Amino acid sequence: MASKSGIVSRLKRRKIQEVLGAGNRMDGRALDEYREITLKTGPMEKTSGSAEVTIGKSRVLVGVKVQIGSPFEDTPEKGVLMCNAEFTPIAHPTFEPGRPGENSIELARVVDRGLRSAEILDFGKLSLIDGSAVYMVFVDIYVLSYDGNLFDAAALAAIAALKTAKRPVHTVKAGVITLTKKTQALKILRSPLAVTLAKIGDTFMVDPTADEEEVLDARLTVAFDEDGNICTIQKGGSDGITTEELHKALELAQVKAAELRKHL
Amino acid sequence: MASKSGIVSRLKRRKIQEVLGAGNRMDGRALDEYREITLKTGPMEKTSGSAEVTIGKSRVLVGVKVQIGSPFEDTPEKGVLMCNAEFTPIAHPTFEPGRPGENSIELARVVDRGLRSAEILDFGKLSLIDGSAVYMVFVDIYVLSYDGNLFDAAALAAIAALKTAKRPVHTVKAGVITLTKKTQALKILRSPLAVTLAKIGDTFMVDPTADEEEVLDARLTVAFDEDGNICTIQKGGSDGITTEELHKALELAQVKAAELRKHL
Amino acid sequence: MASKSGIVSRLKRRKIQEVLGAGNRMDGRALDEYREITLKTGPMEKTSGSAEVTIGKSRVLVGVKVQIGSPFEDTPEKGVLMCNAEFTPIAHPTFEPGRPGENSIELARVVDRGLRSAEILDFGKLSLIDGSAVYMVFVDIYVLSYDGNLFDAAALAAIAALKTAKRPVHTVKAGVITLTKKTQALKILRSPLAVTLAKIGDTFMVDPTADEEEVLDARLTVAFDEDGNICTIQKGGSDGITTEELHKALELAQVKAAELRKHL
Amino acid sequence: MSKAKITTKKKTTTKKTKEKTRFDGRKANELRPLKIESSVLPNADGSAYIEMGRNKILVGVFGPREMHPRRFAKPNEATLRCRYHMSPFSVDPRRSPAPSRRDTEIGMVMNWAIEPAVFLEKYPRSVIDVYAEVLEADGGTRTACINAATVALVDAGIPMRDLVSSCAAGVIDGQIVLDLGDYEDKEGEADVPVAYLPKLGKITLLQMDGILPIKVFTDCVDLAIDGCLQINEIQREALKKKYGISEEAEE
Amino acid sequence: MSKAKITTKKKTTTKKTKEKTRFDGRKANELRPLKIESSVLPNADGSAYIEMGRNKILVGVFGPREMHPRRFAKPNEATLRCRYHMSPFSVDPRRSPAPSRRDTEIGMVMNWAIEPAVFLEKYPRSVIDVYAEVLEADGGTRTACINAATVALVDAGIPMRDLVSSCAAGVIDGQIVLDLGDYEDKEGEADVPVAYLPKLGKITLLQMDGILPIKVFTDCVDLAIDGCLQINEIQREALKKKYGISEEAEE
Amino acid sequence: MSKAKITTKKKTTTKKTKEKTRFDGRKANELRPLKIESSVLPNADGSAYIEMGRNKILVGVFGPREMHPRRFAKPNEATLRCRYHMSPFSVDPRRSPAPSRRDTEIGMVMNWAIEPAVFLEKYPRSVIDVYAEVLEADGGTRTACINAATVALVDAGIPMRDLVSSCAAGVIDGQIVLDLGDYEDKEGEADVPVAYLPKLGKITLLQMDGILPIKVFTDCVDLAIDGCLQINEIQREALKKKYGISEEAEE
C-alpha cells in the first residue's frame, strides 16, 4: 500500500507489466487464480467467536466479542455491530505502531458496510432493555501479515468468526439483567464474501499480492451473498474502469465468490 | 494571524504605517469605517437557527442546534450553552485542517464569554428533568473565509442565529420525555455585539483586515449590549495601551456597536 | 532520565565511577545515605488531603481528592483508587509540557501498584450505591522539581497525603445521595514506603540523584509495609543483577525503609 | 422484511420503471435541483459552491503548492489531497467536529475519483489540496463534493483531462431511481454512487451498499452515468458563465 | 435577577464606596494577602512562588534557549512562550490534567501581558519559556501568574523594560472592589483583570466578563491599576530581598 | 481477609511445599504447557510464536534498521525498542485497541529485560524493533513475550550474549508455585515475574505485587529462576529445530 511513484515502485511495475504482457503473474498464477487459502475457526478461546484466514502470505485473525452495552440514540431498541481493524506492526516492515491509518480505516469500513448491508443479524432481537441495554457485537480484524488482498481475507474471517460465535444469554427480570451459564449462536442471516480484483494496465486479476497492490491502477472489491447478489462494492485506485470492464469484472468476481464460499 | 516577525510582514507593516501616516488605510477606508457588512439568517435548514455574516471578505457561518443532554454537575437544574469555532482550511491558505489552534480557541472563548456574561438565556428554564436532562444549546462558529475581524463577524452571526432559533418542545410525564411537533423561540434576553479595534503605531482603527491584524501592535475587542453596557472585553496583541487610549477606544467602540446593531 | 549514550553522559559516568572507586559519591554522601528529607502534610486546602516531600532537590506534591463516581464494571460494589503522575515542565529543563511520557507513566504505575497490593483501603466500604455510586480516591502526583529518586518521594508523599485525608460523608436514602457537612478520615490500613537503589558498575547506593540515574546500570525500587514485608518491586535499567546482589539490596532497602518511616 | 427479499422479488420489474412518483415528486430518472457556482472563496486558488438537493457544500482548492514535509512529495507528479469534512450542524443530531472514519474513507474515494482527470504530472513535487466543507447534508454528499471539486480545480487553473461528474442511483421499493435525497437514502434498498469521466468513458468512483442482483446493479450504474452526463452539462455551464468558454480548461 | 439590572441601578453608587465590608473582612480597595518569593526552583533559570489570597502558584522560566524546531524561531527577536496549567487538585471538583480551552486562552493573554516588558530583541532566534503551575486556585489566577512570571523572568536574568504587575477589580453588590477571591468571583457582577507597566503607563492585560456601564468599567480599571501599583512594590521588595537591589534588572 | 495475614501466617510453611495440587492439576514447581516456534512471520526479520498456558503471542523483530528521526539514534550502539500490545479480544471484556499505561510499562520492562543480552554495540545509530502482539492473554504475558522476543531476535540473526528466559513464581494459599495462570493470578497473594540470563547469572526483569516477607520473596525468585532454566532449554530446542544448532547464534 506504498506510493507507486518511487523509483523502486516504477521498476517493480515495469517488471510486473512485462510478465503480464505474456499473460503471466510474478508468482506464476493465472489471472483468475487465488493463492492458497486456509481458514481456521475458533483459535481464540476468550472470544465469543474467532477465525483465522490466510491467503498466501497474508494472514488475518478476527475476534468477535458479544457484550452488553448502550444502544445508539437513534436505534434504542436494536443491538449494535462494531467493526475495527488493526494493522499490527508485525504484519509488514512499513506498518508502524500507533493510530489506525487510512488503509486500516478503509478495511474496517468496507467489511463493516458489507456485514451491515447484508443485514447479517436481526438487530431487533439483540436488545435486552430497549433504550438502555443491548448486545454489542464487536468484530475486531487483526492483520498479522500483509501480502495483499486484506479485504477478501478479512471478510472471510469476519463471517466465519460470526457464524461460529456463541453469545452469552442473559435474563431480564424487573429491569435487572442476570447472566446465565447458557450461550447461544448469533444466528447469522446472510454470509457476504468479498472478492478483490486488481487492474494493472488493461489486465484484471484476482487476489492481488502486496507488490501488485503497490503498482495497480484500479482495484475493485465486490461482496456477494449466498444467492449471488452484490452486497457491497468498493472501487479503489487512481484509474477508472469502463462499463465493459465492470461487467466482466463482476462476472469473474461472482464466480470467485462461489469458489471462496467453499472454504466457509 | 501569522507572525509579524518575518520579512514579508515587516515590509507590509512599513507600507501600512506609511499610508496611516497620511491618515489613510490600504483599502481607502476611514479609521472608524467598517467594510461592507451582510447578514443572512436561516441559511441552514437542518439547524435550530443559523446566520451567515460577511464583513468585507471575511465570512462566518453560525449554526445553532438545541438538543437534549446531561447538565453540568455543578448546575444540575440548568440548560447548557456550548460555543465552538472551526477555522476551515478553505478560509485562508495558512489554515490547516486538524485540531483547533490557539486562534480558534480564543475566538470561541470570546464569543462564548460574551453570550454567557450577557446572560442571553434563562438557563433555569431549559431543564427538562433536573439533574439528568436539559436542553443543550450548541453554537458552532464556522469560519468560511478569513480577512480579519472574525470576532465581530462571529459575535454578530452568533446572536443573529440565536435570536431566530427555534428549539424543539418536549413534554415530560412520569420521567418520560416525549418530543412534540411544536417548536419555540429561544427567548434571547440580551444581544451582545462585539467591536474590534486595532492599534498600529499610535493609530486606532476599527474592523482590521487580515493584513492589519498581521502587523497590529494591540487589539481591543469590546462587546456591548443594547443598553450600551460593556459585556466582555478582550485585549490582544503584544503592545499595551494607555488609559487615555482606552477611554477613546471605548467611546468609539460604543458608537460602532450601535451602528452594527442596525444589521441585527 | 536522559539517555546515557551521549558524550556528556559518558564523561559524567566516568567521573561518577572514579569517585565511586574511592568509595565516595559526587555529593559526598555515603552509599547508604539519603539526602535531606522533608515532609509537609496539608499544604493544599482544596484537596481532601495533600503532602509535599522533598528529597534533596527533588520535590513532589501529592493531592488527594475523594469524589463520587461510577465503579468499575467488574467491581460494582467497590470504591476506586486512581493514581496519576505529572512531570511539570518547571521540574527540569528536559521536561516538556504535554502528554505524560514513559517515565511519568512508570512512576504513577509503581506508586499505584504499591498502594493497591498493600491493600491500603477497604474498598468494599467505599460504595454508596452498589453498581452506580462509589467513592473515587484520586491520588495526583505532581513533580515540581527533579533531582532523582522520584519513586521514594512520591510514595512517601502519597501515603502521607492519604493518611491525613478526610473524605466527604454522604447519606443515601431511597437512592438519593445527600452531602453532609461531616468529613471522615480515609482509614488507611497499611503504609507502603518505597526505597530505590541504583547500581553503577558493581556498586549499589540508595537515593540516586538525577546524575546518578542518568548513568546507572540498574535500578531497584522496593516498597515495604510497616511489618517489613515487601509490597512491590520494580527493577529498571538495562543491566541485570545477581541473586547475591538482590539479597544484599533487599536487606539494605528494608533498613532504609524503616528509617524513612520516621518521617511519616 | 429484509432488503434482499424485496429486490429479488422485484428483479423483473426494476427496469427503470418511471410510473411511481417519488417522495419529492421527482421522476425516477430526474436529478434533484442542482446549482453550481465557481470562484466563491476569495482566499482559495479555486473554489466552487454546490447545492444538490438540500446539500450545501463549499470546496476550496489550494495549489499546486509546495509539499510539507518535503519527503512526502512525489518526484514525478503532484499529490492530490482531498479532504471531506462536515460542519457540526450539517446533520441531525449535531455531530462532533472531529473527523470520523467515514470522513476519512470519503476523502480517499474522492481522491481516487478525481485523480485520473488531473494532469498531475505537470507539477512534480507539489501538492494540490482539495478541501470540501459540507455545510448541510442531504444524501449523496460525496457525489456533490466531487462535482464541486472538479469545478473548483478548473477555477484554480489546473489543467484537466476531463470534468469529473458524479451522481448516485439506487433502488427504492424495487424501482431504480436517480440521485437519492436523504429521506430516500434511508428508506432505499441500495445506493450506488458513481463518478464518471465522459470523454474517457471511465468510472472513477463506484461504491454500493445494499443487496442487489448483478443486473439491477449494472442498471443502477447505467442510470447513474446518465445522471453524470446531465451534471456534466451543468458543470460546463457553471464554468462557461465564469470564463465564457470552458473548453480551454480541459485541453 | 440579572446582573445588568443590578449594575444599572447601582450605577450612581458605584464610586469606590468603601463602607461595606467584604466576605473576608477586606476593604473595597484592599488587596488579599500577597507573598512573592523568587529563586524557588533549583532547575529553572528563574522562578518565583506566589501566594495571592489562597492562590498558590509556581512559575519557572527556562531560557533564552534554542528554539525547536528551528523554523519557528524569529530572526530578530526571542519568542516568549507562556503556558498556564492547573494541577488536577487545584480546584473542586478535581479537573483533568489535560489542558482546557480556558488554559490555552490564559496562556495567550499572559504572553501579551508580559511581552511588552521584555527586551526580546536581545535574543534573536531563541525562545523563553514561562511555565505557570497553579497548585491551588482562588480567583484571579491569571493575574497572580503574571506577577510571579515577571519576578521569575528577572530572576532568570532576562532584561526587562519594566515590571509587569497585575490585579483584577470587579463589582459586587454594586460596589467596586479590588482583587476578588473566588467566593467573590462567583457572586460578583463583573471581573476586570488588568496588567500594567507603571514606568511605561501601559495596560497590557485587559479582559472583562459581566455587564457594566463604560464609566463603571473604567473605574474598575483605575482601581485595578491602583492594585497593580501596590503589587509592583511587593514585586520590587521580593527582588530586593534576593538581589539587594532590583533596579539593575530593569535597565 | 487480607493478603498479608495469610502470607504471614503461612510463612513457615511456604518452603516450596508440593503436596497440594493446583487448579489445573499442576505441581507447585511445574510449568504450564509451553510451545515456541520461530520464523512464523513472512515479513519480519525475525519472529516467534509462543503458547505458554493459554497465552498466545506473536513477536516480530524488525532491524537493525535506520532510526527515524535520526536525532534519536545513539552514536555508539543500536536502540532496542520493545512494544507490548494486546489485541482487543485477548481479554474479557473486550479492551480498547489504544495502548494503556500498563502496556507502556510492560514495554519498558521488556526492554530492560532483553537489552543486556543483545550486542547492541555492533549496530551503532540503528534501531531494533521488537513488537509483541498478545492474541490471547492468560496471566504472565510479559514473561511469555520476553521468551518469544528472545527467540525472534535470534531468528533475526542478531548476535546475543545469552538467551533471556522469563517466568513468574507466586504464592497461592501460602504455597509458592511456578508460572501462574490467570485463574491463579487473580486468587494469588503475590506474583513475581523474573527474567534471567543463565550464562551471565543475571536477573534482568524483576517485579512484584503482593505482600511477602523477604524470605518468601527470595524463595519465589529462586523458583522462578528454576522455571527460567527449564524454559531456556525449550528456547534452545525451538532454535535447534530451525537452525540445527543454536549455539552459533549466541557467540
Side-chain angles (χ1 to χ4, degrees), chain B residues 25-39 53-60 145-153 156 196 198 205-213 256 259-260 263, chain D residues 42-43:
Chain B
R25 289 168 83 172
M26 297 297 286
D27 56 7
R29 276 187 294 154
L31 296 174
D32 65 350
E33 186 182 351
Y34 265 77
R35 290 167 290 177
E36 196 189 337
I37 297 171
T38 69
L39 164 65
V53 165
T54 63
I55 301 187
K57 293 193 288 182
S58 281
R59 180 175 169 195
V60 174
S145 183
Y146 168 63
D147 188 16
N149 201 12
L150 294 176
F151 287 106
D152 301 3
L156 176 55
T196 295
M205 64 208 73
V206 300
D207 183 26
T209 62
D211 281 346
E212 288 165 345
E213 288 193 350
K256 300 318 273 184
E259 274 181 40
L260 271 181
H263 293 276
Chain D
N43 293 325

Side-chain angles (χ1 to χ4, degrees), chain D residues 154-165:
Chain D
V154 174
D155 185 43
I158 290 165
M160 307 278 286
R161 289 190 173 79
D162 204 345
L163 294 185
V164 196
S165 303

Side-chain angles (χ1 to χ4, degrees), chain C residues 3 5-6 10 73 83-85 101-103 105-106 108-110 112-114 116-119 190 199 219-220 224-225 228-243 246-247 250-251 254, chain F residues 1-5 7-8 11 73-77 93 100-102 104-109 111-113 115-116 142 196 200-214 217-218 221-222 225:
Chain C
S3 149
S5 78
R10 278 180 289 145
E73 258 182 70
C83 265
N84 185 56
E102 277 193 349
N103 293 323
I105 288 173
E106 194 197 12
R109 290 268 308 160
V110 170
D112 185 89
R113 285 166 38 205
R116 227 171 266 281
S117 59
E119 292 192 329
R190 204 181 306 274
K199 178 188 173 191
R219 191 194 68 206
L220 190 72
F224 289 93
D225 68 12
N229 295 309
I230 301 174
C231 307
T232 299
I233 284 203
Q234 180 84 341
K235 189 206 146 293
S238 49
D239 194 13
I241 54 173
T242 65
T243 50
L246 174 62
H247 291 178
L250 292 176
E251 278 167 36
Q254 200 180 29
Chain F
M1 202 162 53
S2 84
K3 289 171 184 175
K5 208 170 154 192
T7 54
T8 311
K11 213 189 321 191
K74 296 182 188 171
N76 300 302
E77 55 177 2
S100 68
R101 302 199 305 176
R102 178 180 168 275
T104 302
E105 188 198 354
I106 295 182
M108 294 174 85
V109 298
N111 232 82
W112 291 324
E115 256 182 19
R142 75 194 69 188
Y196 193 67
L200 305 173
K202 281 189 174 173
I203 297 164
T204 60
L205 168 77
L206 185 63
Q207 296 185 289
M208 196 273 267
D209 290 303
I211 302 183
L212 294 182
I214 286 189
F217 170 73
T218 55
V221 174
D222 290 345
I225 291 175

Side-chain angles (χ1 to χ4, degrees), chain C residues 14-78:
Chain C
R14 196 182 302 162
K15 206 156 188 184
I16 289 175
Q17 279 197 299
E18 267 173 35
V19 176
L20 278 180
N24 297 318
R25 288 167 85 171
M26 297 297 285
D27 56 8
R29 276 187 294 155
L31 296 174
D32 64 350
E33 187 182 349
Y34 265 77
R35 290 167 290 177
E36 196 188 337
I37 297 171
T38 69
L39 165 64
K40 189 164 68 178
T41 53
M44 295 295 130
E45 302 167 43
K46 293 198 172 179
T47 58
S48 305
S50 63
E52 189 173 300
V53 165
T54 63
I55 300 187
K57 293 194 288 182
S58 280
R59 180 175 170 194
V60 173
L61 174 62
V62 168
V64 172
K65 293 257 184 190
V66 184
Q67 296 169 196
I68 296 178
S70 301
F72 288 129
E73 258 182 70
D74 47 348
T75 53
E77 80 300 345
K78 288 191 173 175

Side-chain angles (χ1 to χ4, degrees), chain B residues 120-224:
Chain B
I120 56 153
L121 284 165
D122 186 346
F123 288 107
K125 293 197 177 150
L126 293 177
S127 176
L128 283 163
I129 301 174
D130 286 358
S132 73
V134 300
Y135 287 108
M136 320 273 293
V137 181
F138 290 98
V139 176
D140 280 292
I141 301 164
Y142 222 59
V143 176
L144 298 178
S145 183
Y146 168 63
D147 188 16
N149 201 12
L150 294 176
F151 287 106
D152 301 3
L156 176 55
I159 200 68
L162 284 162
K163 281 174 86 98
T164 54
K166 297 212 177 296
R167 69 165 173 85
V169 175
H170 295 78
T171 56
V172 183
K173 262 184 199 162
V176 179
I177 298 172
T178 312
L179 177 66
T180 69
K181 289 190 175 172
K182 290 184 209 161
T183 60
Q184 139 178 349
L186 271 180
K187 287 178 198 143
I188 299 302
L189 304 174
R190 203 179 308 273
S191 300
L193 286 182
V195 171
T196 295
L197 291 86
K199 178 188 173 191
I200 299 174
D202 291 324
T203 311
F204 278 78
M205 64 208 73
V206 300
D207 183 26
T209 62
D211 281 346
E212 288 165 345
E213 288 193 350
E214 190 180 335
V215 308
L216 61 71
D217 294 300
R219 191 196 68 206
L220 191 71
T221 300
V222 191
F224 289 94

Side-chain angles (χ1 to χ4, degrees), chain E residues 135-156:
Chain E
L135 308 180
E136 191 151 85
D138 173 35
T141 52
R142 75 194 69 189
T143 64
C145 285
I146 290 166
N147 293 327
T150 299
V151 171
L153 281 161
V154 174
D155 185 45

